[in-house]
Amino acid sequence: MAILATTALQVATAAAYVVGRRGPLIAQAAVAPWSADHAELGRMVPEKVAAFASAATALALGVGLAQQAAAAHATAMVLAYAAGPTPVGFLALLGRTGSYNADSVARAVRTASEVLSPIHLSVTSNASRLAAARS
């Protein structure tokens, strides 16, 4: 979770930098379109579409895996209840439920990291490129 938090902070920091650098480019293009940085302006929409499409794909895959795990757990619970209540069966069900819950948290963090990854790559690459162009 610490890595996810660090990545989110890097995205926020880099995004603020990129917006701060691109804002004046957009304003300059509105005033003097013939001298605008068309290469940089042309990157803005396609890179966002690509990053968010990759993020959406990661989210859909993560949700699908979570649904599969939930269905498997629900099936196991129904089978355990159908077998009849026993102390051993109850303890096994508690153990399985605890394991399922821990796996669910890990899966959620992993999915969040996978969703954030293409956005992180795009915005930090932009920030690096814009910082190098400023030098």
Side-chain angles (χ1 to χ4, degrees):
M1 286 234 256
I3 293 170
L4 178 60
T6 300
T7 302
L9 180 60
Q10 289 171 350
V11 167
T13 304
Y17 179 78
V18 170
V19 169
R21 288 295 313 274
R22 284 183 168 170
L25 295 175
I26 295 168
Q28 178 189 4
V31 174
W34 53 88
S35 64
D37 185 347
H38 294 283
E40 188 63 34
L41 293 170
R43 289 185 186 102
M44 291 181 193
V45 173
E47 71 190 10
K48 284 172 189 58
V49 169
F52 281 95
S54 294
T57 300
L59 179 60
L61 290 172
V63 168
L65 291 173
Q67 289 173 334
Q68 287 176 348
H73 180 63
T75 300
M77 289 182 66
V78 167
L79 293 174
Y81 283 123
T86 66
V88 172
F90 179 72
L91 290 175
L93 189 60
L94 280 178
R96 180 174 175 79
T97 300
S99 177
Y100 168 76
N101 290 340
D103 290 346
S104 294
V105 170
R107 187 178 306 104
V109 171
R110 191 170 44 254
T111 297
S113 294
E114 291 167 356
V115 167
L116 194 55
S117 179
I119 297 166
H120 177 265
L121 177 63
S122 179
V123 74
T124 55
S125 295
N126 288 337
S128 294
R129 188 186 65 255
L130 289 167
R134 179 174 237 181
S135 300

